[in-house]
């Protein structure tokens, strides 16, 4: 309908130009928006207000002229002027109802498009340090990142999912020292415990399995514990592999998989960090001061220059990130999105500055970033802070075990990434309309129940009869539901372009609300076969869109609840 109305207005504008009412050089963008109040029609346009100034006329005068110039269309029942000059369109029932066969014919592909034209895009997300179980912040990154990948694939992009393991640096040394301390019989309460050591129960598990000589398979790594309590390097290798496996299992339980696992340590082992640093030095973008090597990031928009190599010879954390992203560019990823926690905000400018200083043809502002805020977990209105296994934070596995994968994924993806999120365990577990994921899934199951009832009553769905009688769907609740269905492709496109999966979550809530309202107001299993089948078709189309939307969120669509 939006395309139809836009075309009608475009033709009307051309007519006004021919009549001399609007100058030929007026080329406003014709925008059509769904109305919030159905008393104002189904769709509205502000075109008249955009044309008022170049036409030197009152907006309502321009609106009147546009309406008079609109071609006749059986898709539009009537058109009205509202307020300062909005043009409101009331869609004809037949036109609205066309969405039902469109959805049923497209099935699982409804809402998908080829907008991306097969362009390669890499999305890096989660990228947790292999120093402990995944926490709820990692879970939010996993949910947002995976949903974003699904949206990009649905809009025609060739997506590569990548996990960057920070398996080098001080935190890995602290992990090894923590396991070594456990092997030596120390506990976190002991004064000899490493100052920056990790304290969760998982450290004891690693120590015990290391001494038992266990073999760990984690992606491309197969590590057998040396069982030597004095070999810190062997302890480090085993501990990293052990936690990588645990994180992989948590992500599998969360329905998240990756195409590429990239190790930070490989950047050092293959000399990629040194190569990038030398390239920056050769380009004249560095200087030495106070025994440290600095990068002139102020040349590329940073507020001050940044240390690259400290006095002790270690590189600061953003340097391997620059080398890593140079590798992404060299791998052919001209579109890269990094989904990370908000604590990485300061990294964005530094990494981009470093990439510009490499003079490798990388455009300014590359890569894109989606940064998510903190997650606060509550139960009975009180913050839940600790996990026995992790020692100091709530883990992703805790949430999955408490409320299930579907609710965890939905709740973690249902808010804008840049807003703080309160995860209410009691709400996520509840089987009530207040729980949005339950409310949406119940709509899907409710429609499935109606279809089963039709079969058991020996009144099975007749697609041909339904198609021939969709014009009978004249109730306001039915029209509202069909209009909502028609918006799904646009919502998918916009959510992908704006990197905002929560738009899908909100749409599904609105769709479920429209369905439940319609279901409660309009009887489906009526004696009139024509009307019954038309309403069953509307239900099937609604179920299909709910399923398609839930799939974009990685959430199941149950047939029964």
């Amino acid at each position: 309908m939006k395309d139809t109305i836009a075309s009608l207005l475009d033709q009307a504008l051309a007519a006004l130009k021919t009549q001399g009412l609007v100058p030929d050089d007026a080329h406003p963008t014709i925008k059509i928006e769904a109305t919030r109040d159905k008393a104002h029609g189904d769709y509205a346009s502000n075109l008249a207000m955009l044309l008022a100034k170049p036409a030197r006329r009152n907006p309502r005068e321009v609106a009147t002229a546009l309406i008079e110039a609109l071609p006749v269309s059986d898709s539009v029942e009537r058109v009205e002027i509202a307020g300062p000059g909005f043009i409101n369109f009331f869609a004809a029932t037949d036109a609205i109802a066309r969405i039902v066969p469109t959805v049923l014919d497209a099935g699982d592909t409804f809402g998908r498009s080829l907008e991306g034209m097969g362009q390669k895009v890499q999305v890096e997300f989660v990228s947790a340090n292999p120093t402990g179980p995944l926490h709820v912040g990692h879970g939010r990154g996993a949910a947002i990142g995976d949903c974003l990948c699904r949206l990009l694939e649905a809009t025609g992009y060739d997506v590569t999912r990548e996990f960057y393991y920070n398996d080098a640096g001080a935190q890995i040394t602290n992990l090894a020292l923590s396991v070594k301390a456990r092997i030596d019989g120390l506990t976190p309460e002991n004064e000899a415990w490493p100052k920056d050591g990790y304290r969760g129960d998982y450290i004891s598990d690693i120590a015990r399995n290391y001494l038992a000589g266990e073999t760990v398979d984690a992606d491309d790594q197969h590590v057998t514990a040396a069982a030597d309590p004095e070999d810190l390097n062997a302890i480090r290798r085993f501990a990293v592999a052990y936690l990588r496996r645990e994180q992989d299992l948590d992500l599998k339980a969360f329905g998240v998989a990756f195409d590429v696992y990239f190790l930070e340590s490989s950047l050092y082992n293959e000399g990629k960090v040194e190569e990038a640093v030398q390239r920056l030095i050769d380009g004249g973008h560095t200087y030495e001061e106070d025994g440290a090597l600095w990068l002139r990031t102020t040349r590329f928009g940073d507020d001050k220059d940044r240390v690259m190599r400290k006095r002790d010879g270690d590189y600061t954390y953003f340097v391997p990130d620059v080398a890593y992203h140079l590798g992404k560019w060299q791998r052919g990823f001209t579109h890269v999105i990094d989904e990370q926690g908000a604590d990485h905000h300061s990294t964005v400018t530094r990494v981009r500055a470093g990439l510009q200083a490499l003079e490798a043809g990388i455009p300014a502002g590359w890569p894109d970033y989606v940064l998510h805020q903190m997650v606060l977990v509550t139960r009975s209105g009180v913050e839940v802070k600790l996990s026995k296994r992790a020692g100091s934070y709530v883990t992703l596995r805790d949430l999955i075990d408490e409320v299930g994968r579907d609710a965890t994924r939905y709740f973690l993806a249902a808010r804008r990434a840049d807003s703080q999120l309160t995860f209410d365990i009691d709400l996520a577990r509840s089987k009530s309309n207040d729980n949005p994921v339950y409310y949406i899934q119940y709509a899907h199951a409710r429609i499935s129940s109606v279809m089963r009832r039709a079969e058991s009553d020996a009144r099975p769905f007749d697609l041909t009869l339904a198609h021939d009688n969709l014009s009978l769907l004249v109730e306001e609740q039915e029209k509202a539901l069909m209009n909502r269905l028609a918006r799904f492709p646009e919502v998918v496109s916009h959510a992908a372009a704006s990197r905002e999966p929560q738009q899908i979550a909100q749409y599904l809530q609105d769709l479920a609300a429209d369905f439940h309202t319609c279901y409660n107001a309009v009887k489906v299993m009526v004696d009139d076969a024509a009307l019954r089948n038309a309403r069953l078709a509307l239900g099937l189309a609604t179920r299909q869109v709910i399923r398609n939307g839930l799939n974009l969120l990685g959430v199941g669509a149950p047939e029964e609840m």
Side-chain angles (χ1 to χ4, degrees):
M1 275 303 301
K2 282 191 173 184
D3 290 341
T4 297
I5 293 171
S7 176
L8 293 174
L9 284 173
D10 189 50
Q11 294 177 67
L13 174 58
L16 296 193
K17 289 181 178 180
T18 300
Q19 298 169 22
L21 298 178
V22 174
D24 288 337
D25 59 357
H27 301 289
T29 300
I30 299 177
K31 292 184 178 181
I32 313 298
E33 300 291 343
T35 59
R36 295 182 179 180
D37 184 350
K38 291 308 168 186
H40 298 156
D42 299 297
Y43 299 93
S45 175
N46 65 345
L47 179 60
M49 289 180 280
L50 297 177
L51 292 172
K53 185 174 181 179
R56 297 182 180 180
R57 294 174 181 270
N58 181 287
R60 290 184 66 91
E61 290 181 42
V62 179
T64 299
L66 282 169
I67 291 173
E68 291 175 350
L70 283 172
V72 176
S73 172
D74 58 6
S75 295
V76 178
E77 183 178 284
R78 70 179 190 276
V79 185
E80 295 179 352
I81 302 173
F86 287 103
I87 303 176
N88 294 339
F89 292 81
F90 294 77
T93 299
D94 285 353
I96 298 174
R98 291 171 196 159
I99 192 60
V100 174
T102 298
V103 172
L104 296 180
D105 289 345
D108 292 343
T109 66
F110 182 73
R112 303 181 73 89
S113 70
L114 299 175
E115 292 175 9
M117 298 183 294
Q119 294 180 76
K120 290 176 61 177
V121 58
Q122 186 222 52
V123 182
E124 179 209 329
F125 58 109
V126 183
S127 295
N129 296 339
T131 54
L134 297 174
H135 56 61
V136 292
H138 295 135
R140 190 176 192 189
I144 294 171
D146 187 58
C147 292
L148 181 54
C149 290
R150 292 167 182 259
L151 281 167
L152 291 167
E153 287 173 336
T155 48
Y157 288 88
D158 179 6
V159 179
T160 297
R161 296 163 165 83
E162 185 151 319
F163 190 120
Y164 178 58
Y165 275 111
N166 298 106
D167 64 335
Q171 74 276 9
I172 300 299
T173 298
N174 290 331
L175 171 66
L177 291 173
S178 302
V179 176
K180 176 70 166 61
R182 277 292 191 183
I183 290 173
D184 292 341
L186 300 179
T187 65
E189 294 76 27
N190 194 294
E191 291 183 1
W193 188 262
K195 179 183 177 182
D196 296 317
Y198 297 94
R199 299 169 177 270
D201 283 356
Y202 67 95
I203 297 297
S204 297
D205 296 338
I206 298 171
R208 183 172 56 255
N209 285 282
Y210 175 79
L211 290 176
E214 181 185 343
T215 296
V216 173
D217 294 319
D219 190 44
D220 60 339
Q221 287 194 340
H222 310 281
V223 178
T224 298
D228 181 350
E230 302 303 322
D231 191 338
L232 191 61
N233 286 329
I235 293 172
R236 179 189 292 108
R237 287 194 299 273
F238 181 79
V240 168
Y242 187 97
L243 289 170
R244 282 188 60 191
R245 180 181 66 179
E246 179 166 329
Q247 291 181 357
D248 289 348
L249 291 173
D250 286 351
L251 289 169
K252 183 177 181 181
F254 202 44
V256 174
F258 291 87
D259 303 304
V260 177
Y261 291 91
F262 194 99
L263 303 182
E264 180 187 0
S265 58
S266 70
L267 295 170
Y268 292 95
N269 296 337
E270 297 172 13
K272 298 298 183 183
V273 175
E274 289 292 344
E275 288 178 17
V277 171
Q278 191 59 50
R279 187 165 179 167
L280 293 171
I281 294 172
D282 294 343
H285 297 294
T286 65
Y287 61 93
E288 294 199 29
E289 185 176 286
D290 297 329
L293 180 66
W294 295 70
L295 179 64
R296 300 183 193 276
T297 52
T298 49
R299 291 181 176 177
F300 305 96
D302 203 355
D303 59 341
K304 61 181 180 180
D305 293 340
R306 304 292 176 174
V307 174
M308 293 176 59
R309 187 171 58 221
K310 296 178 288 186
R311 295 176 185 177
D312 60 9
D314 289 340
Y315 289 111
T316 53
Y317 61 88
F318 85 94
V319 177
D321 281 356
V322 172
Y324 172 48
H325 282 83
L326 174 61
K328 291 184 182 186
W329 180 262
Q330 292 170 337
R331 281 186 274 158
F333 292 113
T334 55
H335 294 275
V336 168
I337 303 168
D338 290 350
E339 203 294 332
Q340 299 174 338
D343 56 334
H344 288 79
H345 185 271
S346 62
T347 308
V348 175
T349 302
R350 300 174 198 182
V351 171
R352 286 175 172 169
L355 291 169
Q356 289 298 294
L358 288 170
E359 299 177 355
I362 298 174
W366 185 94
D368 291 337
Y369 284 88
V370 174
L371 303 179
H372 66 261
Q373 289 288 343
M374 295 172 54
V375 181
L376 176 69
V377 181
T378 64
R379 181 190 284 111
S380 302
V382 178
E383 181 181 358
V384 179
K385 295 182 178 181
L386 301 180
S387 163
K388 186 173 185 295
R389 176 156 177 73
S392 59
Y393 56 83
V394 180
T395 69
L396 173 61
R397 176 67 73 167
D398 291 334
L399 287 187
I400 296 174
D401 291 345
E402 282 266 7
V403 306
R405 184 177 81 179
D406 284 351
T408 302
R409 285 192 63 123
Y410 184 92
F411 273 68
L412 290 177
R415 293 284 304 277
R416 282 179 58 98
D418 60 3
S419 64
Q420 291 199 355
L421 171 66
T422 297
F423 192 110
D424 186 336
I425 289 177
D426 298 317
L427 178 60
R429 294 184 63 179
S430 70
K431 296 181 179 180
S432 71
N433 290 345
D434 292 330
N435 179 352
V437 68
Y438 177 86
Y439 187 63
I440 296 164
Q441 289 181 320
Y442 180 55
H444 186 275
R446 200 175 201 179
I447 298 167
S448 298
S449 175
V450 172
M451 299 308 296
R452 289 193 296 272
R453 178 185 167 190
E455 289 287 341
S456 65
D457 289 352
R459 295 189 289 180
F461 175 62
D462 185 324
L463 180 61
T464 301
L465 190 58
H467 276 198
D468 292 342
N469 292 282
L470 292 174
S471 60
L472 298 176
L473 301 175
V474 297
E475 300 297 332
E476 287 304 311
Q477 297 87 348
E478 292 170 328
K479 292 174 68 175
L481 181 55
M482 290 186 287
N483 275 325
R484 185 77 65 185
L485 294 176
R487 293 172 201 162
F488 183 62
E490 179 185 5
V491 172
V492 174
S493 175
H494 191 269
S498 59
R499 317 288 195 244
E500 294 184 349
Q502 86 281 350
Q503 292 184 22
I504 301 297
Q506 184 58 59
Y507 170 84
L508 289 173
Q509 282 186 253
D510 295 338
L511 176 60
D514 286 340
F515 167 74
H516 289 302
T517 298
C518 184
Y519 183 87
N520 292 330
V522 178
K523 185 177 180 180
V524 176
M525 298 303 292
V526 294
D527 292 332
D528 184 334
L531 180 58
R532 181 178 69 251
N533 279 280
R535 287 176 174 170
L536 285 172
L538 175 57
L540 283 174
T542 303
R543 184 177 70 171
Q544 182 69 63
V545 175
I546 291 174
R547 182 161 62 243
N548 291 0
L550 287 173
N551 182 61
L552 290 174
L553 298 178
V555 175
E559 300 287 326
E560 297 181 78
M561 292 181 69

